[in-house]
Coordinates of all heavy atoms in Angstrom, one line a residue:
A103 N 184.7 86.5 87.9 CA 184.6 85.1 87.9 C 185.8 84.5 88.6 O 185.7 83.6 89.4 CB 184.5 84.5 86.5
D104 N 187.0 85.0 88.3 CA 188.2 84.5 89.0 C 188.2 84.8 90.5 O 188.6 83.9 91.3 CB 189.5 85.2 88.4 CG 189.7 84.8 86.9 OD1 189.1 83.8 86.5 OD2 190.5 85.5 86.2
L105 N 187.7 85.9 90.9 CA 187.6 86.2 92.3 C 186.6 85.3 93.0 O 186.8 84.9 94.2 CB 187.2 87.7 92.5 CG 188.3 88.7 92.0 CD1 187.7 90.2 92.1 CD2 189.5 88.6 92.8
I106 N 185.5 85.0 92.3 CA 184.5 84.1 92.9 C 185.2 82.7 93.1 O 185.1 82.1 94.2 CB 183.3 83.9 92.0 CG1 182.5 85.2 91.9 CG2 182.4 82.7 92.5 CD1 181.4 85.2 90.9
D107 N 186.0 82.3 92.2 CA 186.7 81.0 92.3 C 187.7 81.1 93.5 O 187.8 80.2 94.3 CB 187.5 80.7 91.1 CG 186.6 80.2 90.0 OD1 185.5 79.8 90.2 OD2 187.1 80.2 88.8
R108 N 188.4 82.2 93.6 CA 189.3 82.4 94.8 C 188.6 82.3 96.1 O 189.1 81.8 97.1 CB 190.0 83.8 94.6 CG 191.2 84.0 95.6 CD 191.6 85.4 95.6 NE 190.6 86.3 96.3 CZ 190.6 87.6 96.3 NH1 191.6 88.3 95.6 NH2 189.8 88.3 97.0
E109 N 187.4 82.9 96.2 CA 186.6 83.0 97.5 C 185.6 81.9 97.6 O 184.7 82.0 98.5 CB 185.9 84.3 97.5 CG 186.8 85.5 97.6 CD 187.7 85.5 98.8 OE1 187.2 85.4 99.9 OE2 189.0 85.7 98.6
R110 N 185.7 80.8 96.8 CA 184.7 79.8 96.8 C 184.4 79.2 98.2 O 183.2 79.1 98.6 CB 185.1 78.7 95.8 CG 184.1 77.7 95.5 CD 184.6 76.8 94.3 NE 184.0 75.5 94.4 CZ 184.6 74.4 94.1 NH1 185.8 74.4 93.6 NH2 184.0 73.3 94.2
E111 N 185.4 78.9 98.9 CA 185.2 78.2 100.2 C 184.5 79.2 101.2 O 183.6 78.8 101.9 CB 186.5 77.8 100.8 CG 187.0 76.6 100.1 CD 188.1 75.8 100.8 OE1 188.4 76.2 101.9 OE2 188.7 74.9 100.1
R112 N 184.9 80.5 101.1 CA 184.3 81.4 102.1 C 182.8 81.7 101.7 O 182.0 81.7 102.6 CB 185.1 82.7 101.9 CG 184.6 83.8 102.8 CD 185.5 85.0 102.8 NE 184.9 86.2 103.3 CZ 184.7 87.3 102.6 NH1 185.2 87.4 101.3 NH2 184.1 88.4 103.1
I113 N 182.6 81.8 100.4 CA 181.2 82.0 100.0 C 180.3 80.8 100.4 O 179.2 81.0 101.0 CB 181.1 82.3 98.5 CG1 181.9 83.5 98.1 CG2 179.6 82.5 98.1 CD1 182.2 83.6 96.6
A114 N 180.8 79.6 100.1 CA 180.1 78.4 100.4 C 179.8 78.3 101.9 O 178.7 77.8 102.3 CB 180.8 77.2 99.9
Y115 N 180.8 78.7 102.7 CA 180.6 78.5 104.2 C 179.5 79.4 104.7 O 178.6 78.9 105.4 CB 182.0 79.0 104.8 CG 181.9 79.0 106.3 CD1 181.9 77.8 107.1 CD2 182.0 80.2 107.0 CE1 181.9 77.8 108.5 CE2 182.0 80.2 108.4 CZ 181.9 79.1 109.1 OH 181.9 79.1 110.5
W116 N 179.4 80.7 104.3 CA 178.4 81.6 104.8 C 177.0 81.2 104.2 O 176.0 81.3 104.8 CB 178.7 83.0 104.5 CG 179.9 83.5 105.4 CD1 181.2 83.7 105.1 CD2 179.8 83.7 106.8 NE1 181.9 84.0 106.1 CE2 181.1 84.0 107.3 CE3 178.8 83.6 107.8 CZ2 181.4 84.3 108.6 CZ3 179.1 83.9 109.1 CH2 180.4 84.2 109.5
E117 N 177.1 80.8 102.9 CA 175.8 80.3 102.3 C 175.2 79.1 103.0 O 174.0 79.1 103.3 CB 176.1 79.9 100.8 CG 174.9 79.6 100.0 CD 174.6 80.7 99.0 OE1 174.8 81.9 99.4 OE2 174.0 80.4 98.0
T118 N 176.1 78.2 103.5 CA 175.6 77.1 104.2 C 175.1 77.5 105.6 O 174.0 77.0 106.0 CB 176.8 76.1 104.4 OG1 177.1 75.5 103.1 CG2 176.5 75.0 105.3
L119 N 175.8 78.4 106.2 CA 175.3 78.8 107.6 C 174.0 79.5 107.5 O 173.1 79.3 108.4 CB 176.3 79.7 108.2 CG 177.6 79.0 108.7 CD1 178.6 80.0 109.3 CD2 177.3 77.9 109.8
E120 N 173.8 80.3 106.5 CA 172.5 81.1 106.4 C 171.4 80.3 105.9 O 170.2 80.5 106.3 CB 172.7 82.3 105.6 CG 173.5 83.4 106.3 CD 173.5 84.7 105.5 OE1 173.3 84.7 104.3 OE2 173.8 85.7 106.1
S121 N 171.7 79.4 104.9 CA 170.6 78.7 104.2 C 170.3 77.3 104.7 O 169.2 76.7 104.5 CB 170.9 78.6 102.7 OG 171.9 77.7 102.5
G122 N 171.3 76.7 105.4 CA 171.1 75.3 105.8 C 171.4 74.3 104.8 O 171.2 73.1 105.0
K123 N 171.9 74.7 103.6 CA 172.2 73.7 102.6 C 173.5 73.1 102.8 O 174.4 73.7 103.5 CB 172.1 74.4 101.2 CG 173.3 75.3 100.9 CD 173.2 75.8 99.4 CE 172.0 76.6 99.2 NZ 171.5 76.6 97.9
P124 N 173.8 71.9 102.3 CA 175.0 71.2 102.6 C 176.2 71.9 101.9 O 176.1 72.5 100.8 CB 174.9 69.8 101.9 CG 173.4 69.7 101.7 CD 172.8 71.0 101.5
I125 N 177.3 71.9 102.6 CA 178.5 72.6 102.2 C 179.0 72.1 100.8 O 179.4 72.9 100.0 CB 179.6 72.6 103.3 CG1 180.8 73.5 102.9 CG2 180.1 71.2 103.5 CD1 180.7 74.9 103.4
S126 N 178.9 70.8 100.6 CA 179.4 70.3 99.3 C 178.5 70.8 98.2 O 179.0 71.1 97.1 CB 179.4 68.7 99.3 OG 178.1 68.3 99.7
Q127 N 177.3 70.9 98.4 CA 176.4 71.4 97.4 C 176.6 72.9 97.2 O 176.7 73.4 96.0 CB 174.9 71.2 97.8 CG 173.9 71.7 96.8 CD 172.5 71.8 97.4 OE1 172.1 70.9 98.2 NE2 171.8 72.9 97.1
A128 N 176.8 73.7 98.3 CA 177.1 75.1 98.1 C 178.4 75.3 97.3 O 178.5 76.2 96.4 CB 177.3 75.7 99.5
M129 N 179.4 74.5 97.6 CA 180.7 74.6 96.8 C 180.4 74.4 95.3 O 180.9 75.2 94.4 CB 181.7 73.5 97.2 CG 182.2 73.8 98.6 SD 183.5 75.1 98.6 CE 184.9 74.2 98.1
A130 N 179.5 73.4 95.0 CA 179.2 73.2 93.6 C 178.4 74.3 93.0 O 178.7 74.7 91.8 CB 178.4 71.9 93.4
E131 N 177.6 74.9 93.7 CA 176.8 76.1 93.2 C 177.7 77.3 93.0 O 177.5 78.0 92.0 CB 175.7 76.5 94.2 CG 174.5 75.5 94.2 CD 173.6 75.8 95.4 OE1 173.6 76.9 95.9 OE2 172.9 74.8 95.8
I132 N 178.7 77.5 93.8 CA 179.6 78.7 93.6 C 180.4 78.4 92.4 O 180.7 79.3 91.6 CB 180.5 78.9 94.8 CG1 179.7 78.9 96.2 CG2 181.3 80.2 94.7 CD1 178.5 79.8 96.2
E133 N 180.8 77.2 92.2 CA 181.6 76.8 90.9 C 180.7 77.1 89.7 O 181.1 77.6 88.7 CB 182.0 75.3 91.0 CG 183.0 75.0 90.0 CD 183.4 73.5 90.1 OE1 182.9 72.8 91.1 OE2 184.1 73.0 89.2
G134 N 179.4 76.7 89.8 CA 178.5 76.9 88.7 C 178.3 78.4 88.5 O 178.2 78.9 87.3
A135 N 178.3 79.2 89.6 CA 178.1 80.6 89.4 C 179.2 81.3 88.7 O 179.0 82.1 87.8 CB 178.0 81.3 90.8
S136 N 180.5 80.9 89.0 CA 181.6 81.6 88.3 C 181.6 81.2 86.8 O 181.9 82.0 85.9 CB 183.0 81.3 88.9 OG 183.3 79.9 88.8
D137 N 181.1 80.0 86.5 CA 181.0 79.6 85.1 C 180.0 80.5 84.4 O 180.2 80.9 83.2 CB 180.5 78.1 85.0 CG 180.4 77.7 83.6 OD1 181.3 77.8 82.8 OD2 179.3 77.2 83.2
I138 N 178.9 80.9 85.1 CA 177.9 81.7 84.5 C 178.5 83.1 84.2 O 178.2 83.8 83.2 CB 176.6 81.8 85.4 CG1 176.0 80.5 85.5 CG2 175.6 82.8 84.8 CD1 174.8 80.4 86.5
W139 N 179.3 83.6 85.2 CA 179.9 85.0 85.0 C 180.8 84.9 83.7 O 180.8 85.9 82.9 CB 180.7 85.4 86.2 CG 179.9 85.9 87.3 CD1 179.1 85.2 88.2 CD2 179.6 87.3 87.6 NE1 178.5 86.1 89.0 CE2 178.7 87.4 88.7 CE3 180.1 88.5 87.0 CZ2 178.3 88.6 89.2 CZ3 179.6 89.7 87.5 CH2 178.7 89.7 88.6
R140 N 181.5 83.8 83.5 CA 182.3 83.7 82.3 C 181.5 83.6 81.0 O 181.8 84.2 80.0 CB 183.2 82.4 82.4 CG 184.3 82.6 83.5 CD 185.4 81.5 83.4 NE 186.3 81.9 84.5 CZ 186.3 81.3 85.7 NH1 185.5 80.4 86.0 NH2 187.2 81.7 86.6
F141 N 180.4 82.9 81.1 CA 179.5 82.8 79.9 C 178.9 84.2 79.6 O 178.9 84.6 78.4 CB 178.3 81.8 80.2 CG 177.4 81.8 79.1 CD1 177.7 81.2 77.9 CD2 176.1 82.4 79.2 CE1 176.8 81.1 76.8 CE2 175.2 82.4 78.1 CZ 175.6 81.7 76.9
A142 N 178.5 85.0 80.6 CA 178.0 86.3 80.4 C 179.1 87.2 79.8 O 178.8 88.1 79.0 CB 177.5 86.9 81.7
A143 N 180.3 87.0 80.2 CA 181.4 87.8 79.6 C 181.5 87.5 78.1 O 181.7 88.5 77.3 CB 182.7 87.4 80.3
S144 N 181.3 86.3 77.7 CA 181.3 86.0 76.3 C 180.2 86.7 75.5 O 180.4 87.2 74.4 CB 181.3 84.5 76.0 OG 180.0 84.0 76.2
L145 N 179.1 86.9 76.2 CA 177.9 87.6 75.5 C 178.2 89.1 75.4 O 177.8 89.7 74.5 CB 176.6 87.4 76.3 CG 176.1 85.9 76.4 CD1 174.9 85.9 77.3 CD2 175.8 85.4 75.0
A146 N 178.9 89.6 76.5 CA 179.2 91.1 76.4 C 180.0 91.4 75.2 O 179.8 92.5 74.6 CB 180.0 91.4 77.7
R147 N 180.9 90.5 74.8 CA 181.7 90.8 73.6 C 181.0 90.5 72.3 O 181.4 91.1 71.2 CB 183.0 90.0 73.6 CG 183.9 90.5 74.7 CD 185.3 90.0 74.5 NE 186.0 90.7 73.4 CZ 187.3 90.8 73.3 NH1 188.1 90.1 74.2 NH2 187.9 91.5 72.4

Side-chain angles (χ1 to χ4, degrees):
D104 290 345
L105 294 174
I106 292 171
D107 286 344
R108 190 193 73 191
E109 295 297 312
R110 190 170 152 214
E111 286 193 8
R112 180 173 161 238
I113 300 167
Y115 177 70
W116 290 105
E117 188 101 328
T118 291
L119 286 177
E120 285 187 341
S121 71
K123 71 174 66 210
I125 187 89
S126 53
Q127 182 194 317
M129 289 286 279
E131 285 170 22
I132 310 311
E133 193 178 354
S136 65
D137 180 57
I138 297 173
W139 280 81
R140 291 194 177 95
F141 176 74
S144 74
L145 295 178
R147 286 196 81 158

